Amino acid sequence: MFVVTRFAPSPTGYLHLGHAYSALLAHSVARERSGRFLLRLEDIDRGRCRAEFADAIEDDLSWLGIAWDGGVRKQSEHFDDYRAALARLEAMTLIYPCFCTRATIEAELEAAVAAPHDAPPVYPGTCRNLSDDERRARITQGLPYALRLDVAKAQAKTGPLFWEDDIKGAVEAAPTRHGDVVLARKDTPTSYHLAVTVDDALQGVTLVTRGEDLFAATDLHRLLQALLGYPTPRYRHHKLLTDASGKRFAKRDQAVTLRGLRAIGKTPDEVRLMADFG
Ligand code: GLU
């Protein structure tokens, strides 16, 4: 079947060997099946993303021998697409404004006696039950707010949801374990979960290839797809490359950036081998 894959890094640093593996994997799947390989820059975080890193991503991929199809989609140029999706969710009354600060959320979580220890802390739902009057008053007062998805209400609307992972097979989505996630941040009219779901749909992506650290996030993407009437792509959550001591590569490890390796004279073929892609 025709496949459309993508590589979607955030330009907050230089690409490292882990990125190279992810990009090479998506690229090779597309090329083996005469499909399309897309490049998207997830640059909604204006504070952390830099043009210099965006340019370096394109340059490093070209150096590695990876060519993408069509233009590069930069999320910061498409805020209207995310606003339109948010408006649809709002019309379904699944969105509410949240005025909490990080500090108030932490204080509430600490006060909750029965906090489960085996799950990451989730937003306790403080602003879900504010009255319309209270919401309006706070907005008029000029208090900054994020927009959250009422996940339990959303899942009640969609019923059980499933998705197919190339490695794990059929998976049932469990979005409620994430609590009411933010879909639009106080400083940006979207969030990772919303932008990635909208873009994969608008770009016609049929196979999402990404690291297994994002496996759980697919719960929420599957929920948003169902609410917004988008098709569900297949997923391939791949292993994360680690260094000799078993530690994951990170953007701050200068030694394994493609830039750094190139600077010490490594060839693209050598770097492909180092990225487990000989
Ligand atoms: N932008 C994300 C990252 O750089 C990847 C998102 C995705 O592939 O879904 O980690």
Side-chain angles (χ1 to χ4, degrees):
M1 216 177 67
F2 188 72
V3 70
V4 181
T5 67
R6 61 14 168 228
F7 176 54
S10 298
T12 54
Y14 293 117
L15 296 184
H16 54 61
L17 284 173
H19 292 113
Y21 175 76
S22 195
L24 287 162
L25 180 68
H27 181 255
S28 77
V29 171
R31 292 294 170 257
E32 272 160 25
R33 301 208 230 153
S34 318
R36 282 169 66 74
F37 168 77
L38 310 177
L39 174 61
R40 179 166 78 228
L41 295 180
E42 302 211 325
D43 60 349
I44 55 172
D45 191 336
R46 303 315 288 152
R48 291 175 60 227
C49 294
R50 299 226 305 257
E52 168 201 341
F53 295 134
D55 293 344
I57 287 172
E58 295 192 27
D59 186 53
D60 288 345
L61 291 178
S62 302
W63 176 78
L64 252 192
I66 295 180
W68 52 93
D69 297 303
V72 178
R73 181 172 169 100
K74 292 191 176 151
Q75 292 189 323
S76 59
E77 295 170 358
H78 298 279
F79 285 125
D80 282 350
D81 290 333
Y82 314 131
R83 282 194 192 96
L86 263 182
R88 290 180 54 206
L89 297 169
E90 211 153 13
M92 292 180 229
T93 64
L94 295 175
I95 300 284
Y96 62 87
C98 170
F99 305 89
C100 295
T101 61
R102 203 177 286 266
T104 58
I105 294 173
E106 272 163 19
E108 260 203 61
L109 286 172
E110 254 165 51
V113 235
H117 291 281
D118 53 352
V122 298
Y123 176 64
T126 322
C127 288
R128 190 190 312 127
N129 300 319
L130 291 179
S131 67
D132 284 347
D133 282 351
E134 182 62 31
R135 281 179 186 153
R136 242 175 277 125
R138 293 190 190 192
I139 291 172
T140 316
Q141 232 179 298
L143 287 182
Y145 58 93
L147 293 175
R148 289 187 184 269
L149 179 67
D150 185 335
V151 173
K153 186 173 175 189
Q155 168 121 71
K157 200 175 169 71
T158 65
L161 298 167
F162 297 84
W163 51 276
E164 279 289 324
D165 188 272
D166 274 0
I167 298 166
K168 297 251 166 72
V171 181
E172 178 162 10
T176 51
R177 66 177 156 153
H178 300 270
D180 290 352
V181 288
V182 168
L183 291 190
R185 294 172 3 184
K186 285 179 179 165
D187 55 347
T188 312
T190 184
S191 68
Y192 161 65
H193 295 305
L194 182 68
V196 81
T197 308
V198 169
D199 281 358
D200 283 334
L202 288 183
Q203 294 192 284
V205 170
T206 63
L207 176 67
V208 171
T209 47
R210 61 184 176 203
E212 62 193 8
D213 52 336
L214 287 169
F215 187 90
T218 307
D219 288 334
L220 296 162
H221 306 172
R222 181 68 191 88
L223 178 63
L224 290 171
Q225 287 155 10
L227 295 169
L228 293 165
Y230 295 155
T232 304
R234 287 182 71 83
Y235 288 83
R236 185 178 301 186
H237 290 98
H238 60 70
K239 65 176 181 184
L240 297 174
L241 289 196
T242 50
D243 65 15
S245 67
K247 199 165 64 61
R248 276 186 206 171
F249 291 125
K251 280 180 178 154
R252 54 187 178 278
D253 296 336
Q254 282 306 312
V256 294
T257 61
L258 303 189
R259 287 276 104 170
L261 294 166
R262 194 169 158 184
I264 59 166
K266 296 281 181 200
T267 65
D269 280 348
E270 285 170 329
V271 169
R272 291 166 91 96
L273 268 181
M274 290 174 78
D276 214 10
F277 226 93

